[in-house]
Amino acid sequence: MNDDPDAAPESQEQLQIDARALRGLAHPLRARLLEELRLNGPATATILGRRLGESSGATSYHLRQLSRYGFIDNEPGHTGGRERWWRVRPGGWSMRGHEFLSDPETRLIAQSVLNRYYQQRRERFDQWTAAVSETPDAPAVRRWKDAATDSVSVARLTPEETVEFAGRLHDFLRSWSGRLQGRTPESHPGTESVEIQVNIFPVLPETEDRTDGGPSPEG
């Protein structure tokens, strides 16, 4: 419970991104702001501007736009000050990327958003594996290398079973995320942002023989 009248409601309902919200996410700085809040917890426009090398006016404007589309809201632990603290919306969000990619009106913007999203995922994993390879004796690498893991599992499922499996997996991840919501490097020293990347997709015979240069992103 939270009796602060200015605090944002604690809704764990997942936001389903529509075409309007998708367009709101297309701006590169908004994507960077969202990623920074996701990785390092609540922050103000000034803090985010300093981290990203942007003016506080620019970060403040784009934070308000992210809030307008439902991606972030006010951090209830920091109220009454001169500057607003922002956090990633509890419950997270999801998008039906395949639907946006198949619609001519949203295809280009969906490709832009999804390509940037997958590129950032690959870059972060590549940075970690490079650190393990190139600086294995660095204190942070030595501390974390036995905790990090990478695995691939294969199961033979129907589409309906896959939907159920994915739903239960996401419920489990959201339950843990909810318990840890609001942590920052300052409030919990010794912690780091731990990224859990999950891809669930069928290996279709008709797609294994594709020769067009690579897969298209599907969400």
Side-chain angles (χ1 to χ4, degrees):
M1 294 181 64
N2 190 326
D3 58 2
D4 186 339
D6 296 323
E10 290 292 331
S11 172
Q12 294 296 323
E13 182 179 353
Q14 192 176 55
L15 172 68
Q16 183 64 49
I17 297 178
D18 58 16
R20 176 175 172 271
L22 176 69
R23 292 184 175 89
L25 192 57
H27 195 285
L29 180 53
R30 292 176 198 167
R32 293 171 64 202
L33 289 167
L34 198 57
E35 192 69 2
E36 185 66 27
L37 289 173
R38 189 178 71 85
L39 290 174
N40 293 311
T44 67
T46 299
I47 292 172
L48 292 167
R50 186 165 58 246
R51 290 176 183 171
L52 300 180
E54 300 284 347
S55 70
S56 59
T59 56
S60 179
Y61 170 77
H62 289 293
L63 285 165
R64 291 196 302 272
Q65 294 303 305
L66 287 171
S67 175
R68 175 186 176 191
Y69 293 114
F71 293 105
I72 64 175
D73 61 20
N74 292 333
E75 162 57 35
H78 296 83
T79 58
R82 296 182 60 184
E83 194 168 10
R84 299 171 74 175
W85 283 74
W86 298 97
R87 66 174 181 177
V88 171
R89 179 185 185 278
W93 61 89
S94 65
M95 63 180 289
R96 299 187 182 277
H98 59 282
E99 293 183 3
F100 291 132
L101 288 170
S102 62
D103 185 342
E105 293 188 1
T106 56
R107 181 178 298 140
L108 290 179
I109 195 167
Q111 287 176 336
S112 175
V113 170
L114 289 171
N115 287 344
R116 182 171 60 239
Y117 168 73
Y118 288 125
Q119 180 182 353
Q120 289 172 336
R121 285 179 55 165
R122 288 191 298 268
E123 287 177 350
R124 288 190 297 271
F125 185 71
D126 288 347
Q127 288 167 359
W128 165 248
T129 56
V132 173
S133 174
E134 297 168 8
T135 57
D137 294 325
V141 175
R142 292 178 59 185
R143 179 168 179 254
W144 280 96
K145 65 181 180 180
D146 291 334
T149 183
D150 176 32
S151 67
V152 175
S153 300
V154 177
R156 187 161 290 275
L157 303 170
T158 66
E160 294 75 18
E161 288 171 332
T162 304
V163 170
E164 180 182 0
F165 175 85
R168 294 193 179 190
L169 176 60
H170 293 155
D171 286 343
F172 172 77
L173 294 174
R174 280 195 295 270
S175 71
W176 265 86
S177 297
R179 290 165 54 184
L180 309 176
Q181 184 74 37
R183 285 188 173 188
T184 67
E186 293 76 22
S187 67
H188 289 77
T191 63
E192 299 289 349
S193 293
V194 175
E195 183 162 328
I196 302 97
Q197 297 191 5
V198 178
N199 298 314
I200 300 175
F201 60 94
V203 182
L204 301 176
E206 56 265 40
T207 62
E208 289 187 282
D209 297 329
R210 287 180 55 177
T211 58
D212 62 357
S216 298
E218 294 285 340

